[in-house]
Amino acid sequence: MDNDDWPCAQCEKNLRSEAEAIGCDSRSCNRWFHPSCLTGLTQFDVDSSKWFCHLCSGNKNKDQPTPENCDILKNVKWGALKGKELLDTITRAYDEIVTWRRNVFKLPTGKAGKTFLKELTTLFSLFNNDTPSKPISLTLIMIFCPLMLQKPSKNSKSKDHTKCLEYRLKLWEAGDLAGLLRDGRAIQARLLKGKRRHTDDHEKRFCRLMLEGKVSAALKWVTERRSGLLEANQKVVDELLMKHPKAEPMHNDVALEGPHFLPPKVTYHPIDAQAIYLAAKNTKGAAGPSGIDADGWKRFLCSRSFGKETSNLCLAISEFTRKVASENQDPDHLSPFTAARLIPLDKGDGNHADVWGVTAGPIRMYGELLLALSGHPGSIFVRDSGGEFHISEDTPCLAPHEAALLNRILKIAKYYYNIFGFTNIHRNSIKIRRTKDPPNAGQYTAALCVGLEKGLKGYRDTLITLDTLVCENPDVPLSLLQFHLDKFQHLFPILANIIDEIRTNEHMKGCKILELLHKQSACGIPFVKDLLSELLQSCHSVFYQQLSAWVLHGQVKDFFGEFFIRDVPSTDAEGIPYDNEGGLFAKYEINTDMVPGYISPRVIQIIHFIGSSVHIFGAKKHSSNPLQKEDEDYFVELLQSLQRKEKFCPIEFERVIEIMREKVARHLYSLMMNEGKLLETLELFKDFFLLGRGELFLAFIDSADNMMQHSIAKKSSDSDINRLFLKSYTQLGFSNEDHVEKFRLKFSSDIRKSKSAEQVPSKWNDLTLTYDVQWPLHVLFTADVMAEYNKIFMCLLKLSRCQIALQTAWSISTRSGYKFDADLLNLRSNVAYLIDQLQYYLHVDVLETNYTILLKEIKETKDFEAIKRAHSKFLGEIQAWSFLSDETENNLSSAPVSQLIDLVIVLGFQTAVKFTESSDVDSKGASVKKLESNYEHVVLIMVALLESSAAKQHNSLMNQLLLRVDYNGFFSNKRNQKKEKLRKAALSSKMVNQPL
C-alpha cells in the first residue's frame, strides 16, 4: 500500500502502508479491507491466488453491463450519474445491499410515509411504461427499500425513523446514492461488530431455561438457534456451486418446433388492484433481496394510514404483474425481481452444505404439529383470530384424508392454548384481594389451576414421547399420533367448558366451582373421571381449610367471598354497629349463592351453628368452660380423615358434621345454664315482659298515667318514666333491685304499634321494655326475639290499662254520689267482664300453660338447639293464641280476632271516659246507646269467628276462650235470633214483591 489515505471498504478507516490489507481481484472492484473487518476470512482465502469480496463473489461474470442496457441508459441522468456510470453504480450498490443484514424499521405514517410510497409507485411505473429507465427500475426498487428504511440504532423511536426517512428521501431525490450508501454502511458496520453468541452460550441458556421450568421457552430457543444453517462464506458458496452447477445450454433437439404464441392478455385482467390487496393481506413469508418481508409489504399495500398512495401502489403492482405475465421481457431486467436468497444447510459436521432434502418435509411438519399442540403456531399450522388452529392454506402435498385428520388433531391445540392461558393467569396462590386480580380470582380458582397443571403434565409427557418417536422414525403415521392423543380429545373439551363457565359467569367462583366440578365428574370415561376427581380434591383442600377455620375457631378466612358463611357486622336500630363485650360482635349468616348443591341445606345450617357457637366460646376469654382441647383435637382428626379420602362422600361428611354438632350443642347448653343462668332469666322475662308481676304494673300505670296523658304538652323522658317504674318496684317491697335495673323502659317509634285504643293521644303506645342481655344469652335472645317479647308486652300493657280504666270508672260511680245512667253502668259492667275474661285467658290459659311446657322441655334436654327450638315454639304459641300474628283486614265482617280485641279495648276506654264527662244527659244517653250497639256488634262477630275457628282447628285454647266469652250462650242465642229475624224479613220481602 502506497497511499495512506486509501480507505477500508468495510470500516472506512484509512489503511496504513505498513499494515496488512487484502484487495478484491474483481476487474471492476477497487476495494481494500482490513483482515480484521472481514468475517469468515480463513487462511485458505488469504493463500488463494484470487479472492473476491462479498460484493463481487456472486457476480464474477457480471462485471460488465450488457451493451444493450448501456445504449438504453445513455440519455438517463440521476443526480451526477449518467449512462454507463449510472448502471455500474446501481449494479454495485445492489450487489452490496443484498448482502446487508436485515435491519429495517416499520414505515411511519404521515407525509414521509406517503412520499415513500409515491416514489415506490413511480419506480414501478418506470417499468410499466417502458421508459428508458426500465433496465434499472427493478434494481432501484430492490435498493430503495433497504436504503430508506435502515434502522439508525437499536433503540431508535418512531420519531427518529420519520426524521431519517425525510432526510434519505431528500438524498434520493438529489441522486446522492453515495451518501445513502455511506449511511447504510455505517449502520451495518455497527451490526457486524455486535456480540455473537458462542455455541457454549446457547447451551448455557438452554440449561438455564430448563432449570427455571420454562420448557416452552427452551424448546423455542432450540428451534430458533439450532437451525442447521452454515455461514455463507466463500468456501460454502464454492461447495454449493460444485454440487449444483449452472444449467447446460439448451440444445436444438429439445426445443419445441412451430410458432410460439403468448397467452391472451385478457387472461390476466382479473389481476387488478383489489387482487393485489387481497394477496398482500393473506401472504406470509420472509424477506427477499429488498429486505421487506410479507408484513412489511402488507403495510405498504393494505394500510389505510397512507390514503390514496396505497391504492396507487396496488394499481402499479397489478399493471407490473400483468405486463410480466403477458409480454416478453429481457431476463436482465427481471434478474433483481427473480433473485432469491440461498440458504446453505448444515448436514451434520458443519463442513458440508446441501439444499433442503425430501425427508426434511415430514420431520418439519411433525415438528410444527407438536409445537402447535403446545400452543405455538408456525408456518404450516397457524392460529386464526378465533383461536382455532388449522393447516395453512398454502401447505402443499396433503391428501384430503390427511388434512381432515390433522385438523381433528389440531382441535386439541385450541383447548390446550385456552387451558394453559387460564392457568397462567390464576395459578399463583392468592391470599388477599388485589386490585389487579382478574374478575374470577380466588383461592378456589388457584387450586383449580394447580390441579389443571398436574393434568397438563401428562399431556406434555405425551408430546415428548411423540417427539422422540418422530425423531427416531420420520415415517411415523398420523394414526399413531391420533392414538396417543385420543384420550385428550375427550378430556380437553370438558376442561374448556369448565373454564369458559368460570370466565363468563361472574358468580361462578368459590364453592360454586365445587358444584360445577362435581356435576362434570359424573362421566363414564375412566381417564376423564379420574382427572376431574383430582381437580375436585384439589379445590376441596381450600374448602377444608376454610371449614376448619370456621368450625375450630369461629373465623371466616375468606377474602374473595367464596365460602358459604359470611360475616355481617351487627347494627342497632339506627344501623350503627354496636360494641358487645369482648369487642365488635360479628353476626354470621349463610351466603346461599355459594352453597354447593351436593351438600344438603340441613348440613349447611349445622355448620353455621357450629362456627357461630365456637365464635361465642372465644368471645369471652375468661369463660370458665371453654371448648376443651381434646374436643378441638378430635375435630381436627375428623376433618383430616375427610380430606384424606380420594372422593368426597356426602353421607360420611354429614356424619362427621353431626358428631361435631352434638359436642358443640352440649357445650353451649352447659354454658347457657351455668354462666348464662337461663332459667333465672326466663323467670325475669315472665315477670316483666309477660306482666307476671301484675301488681307492679298496676302500681306503675296508676302512678305514670297522669304524666303520660299530658305528654303532648310536656314530653316525658326515658329517665322520668324509669324513675317512676323503679319507685313502684320499691314501694311494693321487692328487695332485689339488681333484677329491675336490667330492665329499662324506653320510648320508641320503631316498634310496630297497634292502632291507638284511646281517644286521647298518649305516649303509652310508644312505650317499650328493653333488657340488658349478657353473654352468652345474646345467642338466644336476639334483636328479633326481643322485638317479639315487646309486641306481647305492649298488648298485655294495653289490656291492663283498659282494665284499670274501667275499675276507676266503677270507683267514680260508687263514690261520687252522682247517679249515672243505668245503661252506662250496664255497658261498663259488660265491657269490664269481657276485658277480665281476656286477661284471664291470656295470663292463665296461654302464658302459664306454655311457660310450664317450656321449662319442662329445657330440663329434659342437654342440647342447646333443642332449647332454641323450644323457646321459638314458646314465643310462637303465645303470639298465635294471643292473636298477635294475624294480618289486619279493612273489612270489619272478616276482621281477625286481634282487631276485634283492639275494638273491645277502644270501647272500654270510651266507656271509662263517659264517667268523667260533664255533658248533658240527652247527648250522653245517645252516645251510650251508640256504644252499646257497637259493643254488641263487635262481640257477636267475635263469637262467630271463635266458633268458626274452633270448629276448624279443634283446639282446646280456642274453645276455652269461646267458653269464657260466651259461657252461658247469651251471645250465641242472640246472634241466632238476629239471623232468624233477618231471614223472616227477607222472606216477607220476597212475598210482597212476587207478582199476582
Side-chain angles (χ1 to χ4, degrees):
M1 295 295 300
D2 298 330
N3 189 357
D4 290 345
D5 295 330
W6 195 272
C8 172
Q10 187 65 42
C11 66
E12 298 185 351
K13 294 182 180 180
N14 293 335
L15 296 167
R16 298 182 180 179
S17 57
E18 67 275 6
E20 292 184 359
I22 184 170
C24 180
D25 292 324
S26 176
R27 289 175 295 171
S28 60
C29 181
N30 296 320
R31 298 182 182 89
W32 286 84
F33 300 87
H34 290 116
S36 59
C37 293
L38 296 173
T39 58
L41 185 67
T42 64
Q43 189 62 34
F44 173 80
D45 299 324
V46 177
D47 297 338
S48 299
S49 58
K50 284 190 176 183
W51 177 83
F52 299 94
C53 68
H54 61 282
L55 300 178
C56 304
S57 59
N59 299 280
K60 287 180 280 190
N61 296 324
K62 296 183 181 180
D63 292 335
Q64 297 295 332
T66 59
E68 294 81 0
N69 292 337
C70 294
D71 293 339
I72 297 174
L73 294 170
K74 64 181 179 180
N75 295 324
V76 177
K77 184 179 181 182
W78 186 36
L81 302 175
K82 184 178 180 182
K84 181 178 180 300
E85 183 183 4
L86 173 61
L87 181 60
D88 292 342
T89 304
I90 293 176
T91 303
R92 287 195 300 269
Y94 172 80
D95 293 339
E96 178 182 355
I97 291 172
V98 295
T99 63
W100 285 358
R101 293 181 63 180
R102 186 171 179 271
N103 179 49
V104 295
F105 56 76
K106 185 172 70 173
L107 181 65
T109 57
K111 183 178 179 181
K114 292 179 180 179
T115 305
F116 174 88
L117 294 181
K118 185 176 181 180
E119 182 64 25
L120 191 59
T121 304
T122 302
L123 295 177
F124 275 104
S125 300
L126 295 177
F127 185 94
N128 297 339
N129 299 330
D130 293 327
T131 63
S133 302
K134 181 178 180 180
I136 61 173
S137 59
L138 296 182
T139 307
L140 290 173
I141 292 173
M142 293 302 165
I143 69 173
F144 176 70
C145 295
L147 284 175
M148 296 297 105
L149 302 181
Q150 275 288 306
K151 192 173 183 180
S153 64
K154 180 180 179 181
N155 300 321
S156 57
K157 305 299 182 182
S158 178
K159 60 181 181 180
D160 302 323
H161 301 161
T162 302
K163 292 180 180 179
C164 287
L165 182 58
E166 292 175 349
Y167 169 72
R168 292 166 184 171
L169 285 171
K170 291 180 181 179
L171 295 180
W172 180 271
E173 184 179 0
D176 190 1
L177 186 58
L180 292 171
L181 286 172
R182 283 195 302 271
D183 191 8
R185 288 168 185 161
I187 296 173
Q188 288 293 317
R190 287 199 300 269
L191 295 177
L192 292 173
K193 291 180 181 180
K195 180 181 179 181
R196 294 193 176 187
R197 292 186 178 270
H198 194 265
T199 305
D200 295 340
D201 296 335
H202 301 327
E203 294 175 355
K204 289 179 180 178
R205 181 166 184 180
F206 174 80
C207 294
R208 179 175 59 82
L209 291 174
M210 291 298 294
L211 290 175
E212 292 177 356
K214 300 177 180 178
V215 180
S216 298
L219 292 175
K220 187 176 180 181
W221 174 260
V222 171
T223 303
E224 291 177 352
R225 297 301 174 182
R226 295 180 60 183
S227 58
L229 302 184
L230 291 175
E231 188 176 356
N233 53 34
Q234 185 63 42
K235 186 176 181 180
V236 172
V237 172
D238 292 339
E239 186 172 353
L240 284 174
L241 290 174
M242 181 183 66
K243 290 185 176 183
H244 305 281
K246 292 185 178 181
E248 293 290 334
M250 186 185 68
H251 301 288
N252 292 331
D253 54 353
V254 298
L256 295 176
E257 296 181 357
H260 173 60
F261 297 99
L262 291 173
K265 292 186 177 182
V266 71
T267 305
Y268 305 103
H269 279 183
I271 304 177
D272 55 5
Q274 182 65 17
I276 298 299
Y277 171 82
L278 294 176
K281 190 174 182 180
N282 298 316
T283 300
K284 294 182 178 179
S290 68
I292 307 299
D293 58 7
D295 292 335
W297 283 104
K298 185 185 298 184
R299 181 168 177 80
F300 294 171
L301 300 172
C302 303
S303 178
R304 298 180 180 179
S305 302
F306 304 107
K308 64 178 182 179
E309 302 302 335
T310 298
S311 303
N312 293 339
L313 182 57
C314 289
L315 182 61
I317 294 178
S318 66
E319 293 176 359
F320 167 77
T321 306
R322 292 196 300 270
K323 189 177 184 68
V324 171
S326 60
E327 298 178 6
N328 289 321
Q329 303 293 336
D330 188 343
D332 290 336
H333 298 174
L334 296 176
S335 60
F337 177 73
T338 57
R341 292 179 181 270
L342 297 178
I343 303 176
L345 300 180
D346 188 356
K347 297 301 291 182
D349 57 1
N351 297 320
H352 301 285
D354 202 353
V355 294
W356 185 274
V358 177
T359 58
I363 296 177
R364 177 188 173 191
M365 185 189 73
Y366 281 134
E368 284 210 19
L369 177 60
L370 295 177
L371 283 176
L373 292 174
S374 301
H376 302 288
S379 59
I380 299 178
F381 304 103
V382 298
R383 185 167 63 92
D384 57 21
S385 57
E388 296 281 353
F389 284 78
H390 57 84
I391 305 172
S392 177
E393 296 179 357
D394 56 355
T395 302
C397 305
L398 278 179
H401 70 279
E402 292 178 331
L405 185 56
L406 284 171
N407 283 326
R408 182 183 176 188
I409 295 174
L410 285 173
K411 290 182 179 179
I412 304 176
K414 175 188 176 182
Y415 294 131
Y416 175 79
Y417 184 82
N418 292 335
I419 296 170
F420 181 76
F422 178 81
T423 57
N424 216 22
I425 296 174
H426 296 276
R427 64 186 171 187
N428 294 326
S429 180
I430 302 171
K431 298 299 183 183
I432 59 174
R433 167 65 78 178
R434 299 171 298 190
T435 56
K436 62 180 180 180
D437 290 329
N440 292 92
Q443 297 187 53
Y444 285 84
T445 310
L448 174 64
C449 292
V450 172
L452 288 173
E453 282 290 336
K454 293 180 181 178
L456 293 179
K457 183 179 182 300
Y459 174 73
R460 297 190 187 103
D461 292 341
T462 302
L463 293 183
I464 294 174
T465 302
L466 293 176
D467 184 57
T468 304
L469 290 175
V470 170
C471 292
E472 293 176 353
N473 182 16
D475 298 327
V476 171
L478 280 175
S479 57
L480 183 61
L481 273 69
Q482 168 68 16
F483 171 77
H484 283 276
L485 297 171
D486 183 66
K487 57 184 179 182
F488 299 105
Q489 289 182 338
H490 299 287
L491 172 64
F492 281 3
I494 297 176
L495 298 181
N497 290 336
I498 294 174
I499 290 173
D500 290 341
E501 181 68 19
I502 295 175
R503 280 175 171 169
T504 56
N505 187 357
E506 61 180 4
H507 300 292
M508 185 55 63
K509 62 178 183 177
C511 291
K512 278 298 179 182
I513 295 180
L514 296 178
E515 182 176 355
L516 178 63
L517 292 174
H518 188 266
K519 291 179 180 179
Q520 295 289 346
S521 62
C523 176
I525 305 174
F527 172 74
V528 177
K529 186 174 182 179
D530 292 342
L531 182 59
L532 290 175
S533 298
E534 291 178 4
L535 294 180
L536 189 59
Q537 187 177 13
S538 179
C539 292
H540 270 139
S541 63
V542 180
F543 170 75
Y544 282 118
Q545 289 177 7
Q546 293 180 335
L547 182 63
S548 300
W550 173 243
V551 299
L552 295 178
H553 308 289
Q555 299 176 356
V556 177
K557 299 296 185 181
D558 184 17
F559 299 101
F560 297 88
E562 299 177 297
F563 196 46
F564 53 78
I565 304 293
R566 61 185 177 189
D567 57 328
V568 179
S570 298
T571 57
D572 60 9
E574 299 179 356
I576 303 174
Y578 63 85
D579 288 334
N580 199 7
E581 192 169 349
L584 181 67
F585 174 68
K587 177 184 177 183
Y588 294 94
E589 64 181 9
I590 297 175
N591 183 8
T592 55
D593 294 336
M594 290 293 117
V595 176
Y598 57 88
I599 301 179
S600 66
R602 178 180 174 276
V603 176
I604 298 297
Q605 292 285 350
I606 293 175
I607 293 173
H608 177 258
F609 163 74
I610 295 173
S612 301
S613 302
V614 174
H615 178 80
I616 294 169
F617 301 156
K620 197 162 186 176
K621 297 181 180 179
H622 58 273
S623 171
S624 61
N625 190 20
L627 186 64
Q628 299 298 324
K629 184 66 168 60
E630 55 269 19
D631 291 340
E632 183 176 344
D633 294 340
Y634 182 54
F635 288 177
V636 171
E637 183 181 350
L638 290 174
L639 292 174
Q640 288 178 350
S641 66
L642 287 175
Q643 190 171 0
R644 282 193 296 267
K645 293 183 179 298
E646 294 183 359
K647 294 184 180 180
F648 181 86
C649 180
I651 298 177
E652 181 67 17
F653 181 78
E654 185 173 351
R655 185 188 69 82
V656 170
I657 295 299
E658 181 62 28
I659 293 174
M660 298 170 68
R661 185 205 68 81
E662 291 178 359
K663 287 187 172 292
V664 171
R666 286 180 177 273
H667 181 75
L668 189 57
Y669 170 84
S670 176
L671 206 62
M672 288 287 178
M673 300 300 292
N674 297 333
E675 295 201 16
K677 298 180 180 180
L678 178 61
L679 295 178
E680 181 180 341
T681 303
L682 288 174
E683 188 68 27
L684 288 175
F685 272 44
K686 175 177 174 292
D687 290 344
F688 287 87
F689 279 103
L690 306 182
L691 274 64
R693 293 187 177 181
E695 67 276 18
L696 168 63
F697 285 93
L698 289 178
F700 168 68
I701 292 171
D702 185 60
S703 63
D705 189 63
N706 185 45
M707 182 186 71
M708 300 292 277
Q709 293 297 335
H710 295 82
S711 59
I712 295 177
K714 182 181 179 181
K715 292 187 177 181
S716 303
S717 63
D718 292 346
S719 59
D720 294 336
I721 199 70
N722 280 284
R723 186 168 60 252
L724 290 175
F725 185 68
L726 183 60
K727 182 179 178 181
S728 302
Y729 185 84
T730 54
Q731 284 179 350
L732 291 175
F734 296 116
S735 58
N736 195 343
E737 293 187 4
D738 293 339
H739 291 166
V740 73
E741 288 178 355
K742 294 180 181 180
F743 294 89
R744 186 169 182 82
L745 293 168
K746 181 181 178 182
F747 293 105
S748 174
S749 58
D750 294 331
I751 304 297
R752 189 177 68 181
K753 300 178 300 210
S754 302
K755 292 183 178 179
S756 177
E758 305 95 334
Q759 289 180 331
V760 180
S762 69
K763 294 289 289 183
W764 283 109
N765 293 321
D766 292 337
L767 190 64
T768 60
L769 185 63
T770 62
Y771 178 76
D772 184 16
V773 181
Q774 298 295 321
W775 180 93
L777 294 179
H778 60 275
V779 181
L780 186 63
F781 300 107
T782 62
D784 294 336
V785 171
M786 299 305 296
E788 300 297 331
Y789 271 109
N790 255 303
K791 191 177 358 176
I792 300 171
F793 168 75
M794 294 174 69
C795 174
L796 296 175
L797 183 64
K798 181 168 58 177
L799 198 61
S800 297
R801 288 176 48 237
C802 182
Q803 187 181 38
I804 293 174
L806 291 172
Q807 291 176 357
T808 303
W810 177 81
S811 178
I812 292 174
S813 66
T814 56
R815 296 179 182 179
S816 63
Y818 181 78
K819 187 176 181 180
F820 289 91
D821 183 67
D823 293 336
L824 179 61
L825 293 174
N826 188 39
L827 175 62
R828 189 214 69 81
S829 178
N830 291 334
V831 175
Y833 166 78
L834 185 57
I835 293 296
D836 290 342
Q837 295 303 317
L838 289 173
Q839 279 274 52
Y840 196 87
Y841 164 77
L842 291 175
H843 282 278
V844 177
D845 296 337
V846 177
L847 296 179
E848 284 294 339
T849 302
N850 284 285
Y851 184 73
T852 303
I853 295 174
L854 173 63
L855 293 181
K856 181 181 177 181
E857 292 182 352
I858 290 176
K859 292 177 181 179
E860 290 178 351
T861 185
K862 298 294 183 182
D863 192 327
F864 169 75
E865 284 196 303
I867 293 178
K868 192 174 183 179
R869 287 194 298 269
H871 184 257
S872 298
K873 180 183 176 183
F874 167 72
L875 283 178
E877 292 287 329
I878 290 177
Q879 292 192 67
W881 300 118
S882 301
F883 312 105
L884 296 177
S885 58
D886 293 339
E887 295 293 335
T888 303
E889 300 286 347
N890 294 326
N891 189 1
L892 185 61
S893 61
S894 61
V897 177
S898 61
Q899 186 175 358
L900 295 174
I901 293 176
D902 283 345
L903 291 175
V904 170
I905 294 174
V906 170
L907 290 172
F909 278 111
Q910 291 175 347
T911 301
V913 169
K914 293 298 180 182
F915 285 86
T916 59
E917 288 181 347
S918 59
S919 58
D920 58 86
V921 177
D922 293 337
S923 61
K924 183 180 293 187
S927 60
V928 171
K929 292 291 183 183
K930 185 176 180 181
L931 288 176
E932 286 181 339
S933 176
N934 291 339
Y935 170 75
E936 182 179 346
H937 184 61
V938 169
V939 175
L940 289 177
I941 293 176
M942 180 185 294
V943 171
L945 287 175
L946 291 176
E947 287 180 348
S948 176
S949 300
K952 292 179 180 179
Q953 300 182 9
H954 303 287
N955 189 277
S956 59
L957 287 178
M958 190 71 70
N959 292 323
Q960 187 70 22
L961 177 60
L962 180 61
L963 181 63
R964 293 188 184 280
V965 174
D966 190 27
Y967 74 98
N968 57 359
F970 173 79
F971 292 107
S972 299
N973 295 332
K974 195 167 186 178
R975 183 170 59 84
N976 293 333
Q977 292 174 4
K978 196 170 184 179
K979 288 172 62 178
E980 182 66 20
K981 184 178 179 180
L982 291 173
R983 188 185 66 81
K984 290 180 179 180
L987 183 61
S988 62
S989 175
K990 183 178 180 180
M991 294 177 62
V992 170
N993 294 330
Q994 186 175 4
L996 296 175

